Structure formats: C-alpha cells, structure tokens
Amino acid sequence: MYEYNDKELGKIIVKPDTRAKRIIARRKGEYIQLTVPFGFTPKRLPSLLDDMRHRLTKLFTARDQLITEDSVLETFSFTARLSRTHLVENVKMRLKDGNLTIFVPGNFDLENSASQHIVKEMIRQALRHEAKRILPEKTRKFAQVLHLQVNDIKINKSVSRWGSCSRRKTINFSYYTMLLSEKQIDYVILHELAHTVELNHSEKFWNLLNRFCGEDAKTISRSLRKYPSKAYQLLRP
C-alpha cells in the first residue's frame, strides 16, 4: 500500500490486492482508495488517474462542493485559499504574487448557500481579471508569430465552450479557461487562431492546427474532454 497526492483529487491510497482482477475506486473519508491487481506499478498511476479523472470526481459528495478553509484551488495564474479573521467585517479578497486570499469574518457560515455564492463569485472575479490580463496577450503573441490577423479578443463566462471565433476574426475565451494547464490553454488559443483561417473543423483545419501545435492536436483536444477539475466543479454555476 502506498500514498499518492494528486493536485486536483487530493490524497490517493493505492492498495494492491492479489484477489483483484480490475481496478476499484472507493471514497474513504477524505481520500480515494484504489484497489489494484497485484503487480500494478506506481509509474502507471498518473496515466491511470487521467483516464479515470471524470469518474473519480463523481466520488465526491455534495458536501465536497463547498469551499472551506481547507480548500486549495489551483488555477493557471494563482492559488486560491480562504482565511478566517476577526480583522474584517465583510468578505474581502486580495490577489498578490500568484495568491488569491479571500478573507471571511469569524462568524461567516461557509455552509450557507448565500455565503458560498459570495466566495465563488469572488474567485470568478479573479479568474476574469486574470483571463483579461493573460489571454489577449498570449493570443496576440501567437498571432504575430503565425502571421495571423485577429481583430478583437473578448472574455466571457461561457461553460459550454472554452473559446470561439467569428467570421470577423473576433475571438472569445471563457474565463474558466484559466483553470486549464498552460499546454491546454495554448491549445485553446491556437484552436481559435486556426479558425481565423478555417472556420469549420475540416481536415484542412486539423492539419493546420497540427502544424500550429507541433503535435497531434486531437490528442490535446481529447484531454480537454477529460478535464472536470475539482476547481471547475466547484466554480461552475
């Protein structure tokens, strides 16, 4: 038996069992236990977790959808935490040096739905701020290198798509894109830039995007479909 810590799923206990014929995932209090066939090697664990991530996030109950003082939410540009203090009468936040701290009063009830809404809205506000600061600059740099024209870049709160591109070469990004890894963010940007040339998803589009990415773009695209991160599950309306 050994322990592994995943940035999104938290503590994972891996328990080899000679009787196990398949991998079984169970919720055990504050951690996930994986029962694996004997002979399962630790180096296989990261790829296994990626394959099972969507299923594993469903092991968390409604109680886990609360943001608490123990919650640590990782985004591309900052780490968000709560801090309970008697120094504030109302909820306040501070974003500095890659850390978002949300200060809540001593009597602030985090199990109250209205309180959760306040906290989550502050984190979304920080996501929007960071998306406006980072995504347009990244997009323009890629466009310059690739000799592509972009007329406008906008940030929205879409939960149905990471990005979109219009015929007028206006690119929109959801601020939830800031919950992705840098490689995935770059893919989303390059995907929309490819649409400034090819508006559909034809073979020409994918060949162009493969060239932009320098690798198989569909592989990265599939990784996005398997990306229900804990932060995304908590913050998505």
Side-chain angles (χ1 to χ4, degrees), residues 6-236:
D6 183 85
K7 185 172 71 172
E8 295 157 8
L9 298 170
K11 181 179 175 181
I12 311 285
I13 296 295
V14 181
K15 182 182 178 182
D17 189 329
T18 54
R19 296 171 297 176
K21 295 182 179 180
R22 58 188 178 87
I23 295 169
I24 301 171
R26 292 190 179 96
R27 179 72 186 275
K28 296 283 187 177
E30 297 302 315
Y31 65 89
I32 294 172
Q33 178 177 295
L34 291 180
T35 302
V36 299
F38 198 77
F40 180 89
T41 57
K43 67 180 181 180
R44 290 179 54 196
L45 188 57
S47 61
L48 173 68
L49 291 178
D50 285 342
D51 290 339
M52 297 182 67
R53 195 167 297 275
H54 181 66
R55 174 186 162 194
L56 293 176
T57 56
K58 291 183 178 180
L59 294 176
F60 293 92
T61 64
R63 174 65 180 81
D64 297 299
Q65 299 307 305
L66 298 179
I67 297 177
T68 70
E69 291 162 88
D70 296 325
S71 299
V72 179
L73 302 185
E74 299 286 350
T75 78
F76 172 64
S77 62
F78 65 82
T79 300
R81 294 181 176 87
L82 297 189
S83 177
R84 192 179 293 275
T85 175
H86 66 280
L87 298 177
V88 298
E89 295 182 359
N90 299 304
V91 182
K92 298 182 182 298
M93 71 175 182
R94 180 183 66 199
L95 179 59
K96 184 178 180 181
D97 299 330
N99 290 292
L100 174 68
T101 306
I102 298 176
F103 300 99
V104 299
N107 61 352
F108 193 75
D109 182 7
L110 285 167
E111 296 200 10
N112 180 282
S113 60
S115 299
Q116 284 290 309
H117 178 74
I118 291 170
V119 170
K120 290 177 182 180
E121 278 301 306
M122 284 195 165
I123 299 174
R124 293 183 190 116
Q125 183 180 336
L127 284 176
R128 181 185 290 276
H129 174 273
E130 290 295 275
K132 287 183 175 181
R133 181 177 70 86
I134 292 170
L135 297 181
E137 181 181 0
K138 263 182 167 286
T139 303
R140 291 189 180 98
K141 284 183 177 178
F142 276 125
Q144 184 176 14
V145 170
L146 297 169
H147 306 291
L148 298 173
Q149 179 185 347
V150 176
N151 291 329
D152 198 8
I153 302 165
K154 298 179 180 180
I155 305 299
N156 60 38
K157 59 180 180 180
S158 173
V159 294
S160 61
R161 58 178 64 186
W162 301 112
S164 63
C165 179
S166 73
R167 292 184 179 277
R168 296 183 177 181
K169 302 186 189 298
T170 294
I171 293 178
N172 295 277
F173 294 113
S174 166
Y175 59 67
Y176 290 107
T177 302
M178 297 301 293
L179 298 174
L180 301 174
S181 68
E182 182 164 22
K183 181 174 182 176
Q184 290 170 324
I185 291 172
D186 288 349
Y187 166 80
V188 171
I189 293 171
L190 292 171
H191 185 112
E192 301 312 328
L193 284 173
H195 278 314
T196 65
V197 181
E198 298 288 338
L199 273 173
N200 54 29
H201 289 99
S202 63
E203 184 177 352
K204 288 177 65 177
F205 167 84
W206 287 108
N207 288 338
L208 180 66
L209 188 52
N210 287 343
R211 182 161 60 83
F212 287 176
C213 294
E215 59 183 290
D216 181 42
K218 288 187 177 180
T219 299
I220 310 175
S221 178
R222 284 191 292 270
S223 78
L224 289 175
R225 298 192 199 108
K226 299 178 182 178
Y227 198 81
S229 74
K230 187 175 182 180
Y232 185 68
Q233 295 293 338
L234 282 167
L235 295 172
R236 177 174 173 162

